Amino acid sequence: MSEPAFHITIDGVQIAARPGQTIMEAADEAGIYIPRLCDHEGLRHQGSCRVCTVKAGGRSVSACTQPAAPGLVVENETPHMVKLRRDLVEMLFHEGNHLCPICEASGNCELQAMAYRLGLTAPSRFPFLQPTRPLDASHPDIALDTNRCITCGRCIRASQDVDHKGVFGYVGRGIHRRVAVNGPDLAHTDAAITDHAISAEVCPVGCIIRKRVGFRIPIGEREFDAALIGEEIEEHRDD
Amino acid sequence: MGEPRLIEISPVTRVEGHGKVTIHLNDRNEVDEARLHIVEFRGFERFIRGRLLWEVPVIVQRLCGICPVSHHLAAAKAMDMIVGVDVLPPTAEKMRRLMHYGQVMQSHVLHFFHLAAPDLLFGFGAPAERRNIFEVIRENPELGRRAVAMRRFGQEIIEATAGKKIHGTGAVPGGINRNLDIATRDRLLAQVEEMLLWAQDALALARGYTLDHADLVANFAAFPSNHMALARAGDGALDLYHGQLRAIDAGGGTIFEGVDYRRYHDLLVEDVRPWSYMKFPFIRDLGPEAGWYRVGPLARMNVAAFIDTPLADAAHRDMKAATGGRPNNTALANHWARMIEVLHCVEKIRDLLHDTDLQGTDLIATGERRREGIGVIEAPRGNLIHHYEVDEHDQVTFCNLIVSTTHNNEGMNRAVKDVAVRYLGGQERISEGMLNHVEVAIRAFDPCLSCATHALGQMPLQVELIDAGGRVIDSRTRNG
Ligand code: SF4
Ligand code: SF4
Ligand code: FES
Ligand code: NI
């Protein structure tokens, strides 16, 4: 690894950063977790969910896209930032139809795990929009329960950039923007169970479903049963 | 960490079920008919349609806050059939059985100590403030302590097999998602002998009560009826998890037996009445008047040829002897039957805990897909039928449930009428005592109104007296 070119400060801790790194990448390397939903290792940054919002040099920016710069002072886990993120995550619950106790992503879901990390246990402050959204089960191996989609775009980038397919894309604008498939339904696309976009790690929630494996991981052995989301990054913090 | 982590957001509106009884008088002011109305929440069958088949055993637990495990297992059995699995790997079947015995045990204990014991110890006529579990514990602290411990033991078993005490995930189509680790097994084994002793004491209490109050038991909501339950294929033994349908008449004669439960709709008709959402099933060959039947612990005792665990079998023979080997057609003897089943469950749990198959690693079987799946189980309150159709996209297209309370619907209506005739005695008023008796008669069937109505919550009870002209002449309400 090359010598650090400069330092930045996150919540009063000085960490090393290199030119070309985002604030989040530098923080990850230093073992400081900045919450995120739309950003995912191996996929290009998109900066749309805003859950990674930090204060840098006094301005609110998304840590997954904002380059680290020498001497930058970043606020990450301050009460204000945590509240902002909690509100954003809470709104995601209200925008879709999330019924965790019957969802096969429960325990492996990044949205649910983020809610726990941020201290949100029962979203209730906003009206539930209860949109009518389809479940597309046409494909023999894959289903899409768009009730749970948070429009993070990870599947779109994975399908385009990794699988070179373009199975997923956006339709609509503004708050009507939704993820859709490139065909009348999933069965009429070239989606395959072996696609990176379909793999368990890409969709953060229970929207992209690999058929017939739901609920096979017992409670207690699921990804977030034993640890909070982000703890895998915080584990290698060196202070 | 390691705590169950669930976020609860329900887009499904919860509607509380409530029981309403109307007593209809004829023009001579005699009881003509009594109707138990249960306001049913019809959202479930709609909600489940379109969902994916492996979600079903988890989703159905939302049907009922009281007996979620029974729904979980009945649906899982139906889904086994859909995925073409007729025989589960031994570890899977035994883990599911363990879960089921734990559930039946804790449910029966809850019912007996919390709901029935106050009536049994203090009498039905006792003032409402005495008829509760706190009074039981105050007067008999050891009994109260054991009730809590036995219930907790049952719940620990559910947690060990399903991952959580309530709304876990254990059973999956074709099998189970975990085995039993040695540490958990040993923790449960350390308690099981004590549970066995306590179950015998509780049984003695229920037996003593039933025999000491023979007059009340014989006359309280007792009437000849048919009885239906699963019984083990081949030998007719009591089997709470799996078996064939058997029905007998009030005198013990066989109506049908050895019937594959996947043929339930050949044998049973689900009658509808304009005044009730809840169906009235009857045995097709006998017709609607004579074909109604009861399910539940006592029906199982009546139907079973024997019990395959020694202590419960001795208790079963002893109970049979009290009615000269003939079916017991009372309602209150259900308490006795329930405690025999608790003993049976604890014996089964002990045997299973000693069985190394529970540490096996072959958990899920596969087979050839079918379109239709039917799962039947003996839930704490009686026979429970789950029936689904699933299309080639793995989505549910049809769902029909017959829950224990629905099986007993006609019986409950008759029991309420019986009480009304006996306690109304030409008066035009509903007394507090009569309200109590109506409540006890309904409760003797241990109805899960939550489950029958597909809603959650306790049962507020309202009784209305209606004259021949359809006028409500009196009404009384008790909140649940
Ligand atoms: S996708 Fe996540 S947040 Fe939504 S219901 Fe499933 S587990 Fe809950
Ligand atoms: S389907 Fe999943 S990965 Fe794709 S946008 Fe929706 S939530 Fe994100
Ligand atoms: S993770 Fe940065 S905006 Fe979504
Ligand atoms: Ni129920």
Side-chain angles (χ1 to χ4, degrees), chain A residues 149-155 179 203-205 207-208:
Chain A
C149 180
I150 56 170
T151 329
C152 69
R154 279 157 57 162
C155 57
V179 162
C203 181
V205 292
C207 178
I208 296 177

Side-chain angles (χ1 to χ4, degrees), chain B residues 23 25 424 428-430 464-467 471-474:
Chain B
I23 298 165
L25 304 177
L424 208 56
E428 291 193 7
R429 287 199 52 76
I430 302 165
E464 278 182 358
L465 199 58
I466 297 171
D467 70 12
R471 205 164 47 94
V472 178
I473 49 180
D474 195 16

Side-chain angles (χ1 to χ4, degrees), chain B residues 14-164:
Chain B
R14 296 236 174 96
V15 181
E16 293 226 324
H18 75 259
K20 179 175 153 185
V21 170
T22 53
I23 298 165
H24 302 256
L25 304 177
N26 63 17
D27 44 19
R28 291 183 304 283
N29 267 6
E30 297 156 349
V31 176
D32 195 35
E33 196 184 3
R35 295 172 175 175
L36 171 61
H37 307 254
I38 292 170
V39 179
E40 190 172 22
F41 172 49
R42 307 282 283 175
F44 181 75
E45 277 86 350
R46 198 164 2 105
F47 182 75
I48 198 84
R49 226 170 287 149
R51 294 313 310 179
L52 301 162
L53 75 92
W54 52 90
E55 297 178 329
V56 175
V58 176
I59 293 177
V60 295
Q61 299 184 90
R62 313 299 295 176
L63 275 170
C64 178
I66 299 165
C67 55
V69 171
S70 305
H71 289 293
H72 179 59
L73 291 174
K77 288 180 77 177
M79 293 307 146
D80 294 342
M81 187 173 157
I82 300 260
V83 300
V85 173
D86 294 322
V87 182
L88 296 180
T91 304
E93 166 153 347
K94 287 175 183 177
M95 283 295 284
R96 286 195 193 177
R97 281 183 176 272
L98 183 62
M99 187 192 302
H100 190 45
Y101 295 128
Q103 144 92 350
V104 174
M105 174 191 174
Q106 74 92 21
S107 171
H108 280 355
V109 167
L110 174 74
H111 183 274
F112 184 69
F113 288 101
H114 287 247
L115 301 174
D119 290 337
L120 302 189
L121 293 176
F122 307 131
F124 303 128
E129 60 275 15
R130 265 177 73 76
R131 291 166 55 234
N132 65 60
I133 184 66
F134 305 108
E135 278 296 305
V136 174
I137 293 172
R138 219 167 55 82
E139 301 231 338
N140 196 336
E142 175 60 13
L143 188 67
R145 195 176 68 79
R146 288 180 180 188
V148 171
M150 289 177 83
R151 189 148 182 250
R152 196 187 311 121
F153 182 71
Q155 288 172 326
E156 270 179 51
I157 288 176
I158 295 171
E159 187 172 15
T161 48
K164 286 176 70 201

Side-chain angles (χ1 to χ4, degrees), chain A residues 76-147:
Chain A
N76 176 35
E77 252 183 342
T78 61
H80 177 73
M81 285 297 139
V82 171
K83 181 180 179 308
L84 179 95
R85 291 166 185 162
R86 191 161 50 223
D87 288 351
L88 283 169
V89 167
E90 184 162 3
M91 282 188 280
L92 290 174
F93 277 97
H94 287 267
E95 267 171 32
N97 296 312
H98 295 269
L99 190 51
C100 297
I102 61 167
C103 176
E104 62 183 272
S106 206
N108 296 309
C109 169
E110 292 178 34
L111 177 64
Q112 184 190 48
M114 195 63 74
Y116 278 110
R117 174 158 182 131
L118 297 173
L120 175 72
T121 49
S124 60
R125 294 187 304 130
F126 308 113
F128 286 102
L129 300 182
Q130 299 193 16
T132 306
R133 297 226 200 120
L135 167 69
D136 177 352
S138 59
H139 193 284
D141 301 318
I142 310 161
L144 213 58
D145 188 344
T146 58
N147 288 291

Side-chain angles (χ1 to χ4, degrees), chain B residues 63-68 70-71 381 403 405 447-452:
Chain B
L63 275 170
C64 178
I66 299 165
C67 55
S70 305
H71 289 293
R381 290 168 180 77
V403 303
T405 303
C448 188
L449 296 187
S450 158
C451 178

Side-chain angles (χ1 to χ4, degrees), chain A residues 6 21-22 44 52 55 88 91 132 137 158 172 186 199 215 217:
Chain A
F6 54 83
Q21 271 187 324
T22 63
R44 95 185 110 83
C52 68
K55 270 240 163 72
L88 283 169
M91 282 188 280
T132 306
L186 205 54
S199 70
F215 304 106
I217 305 174

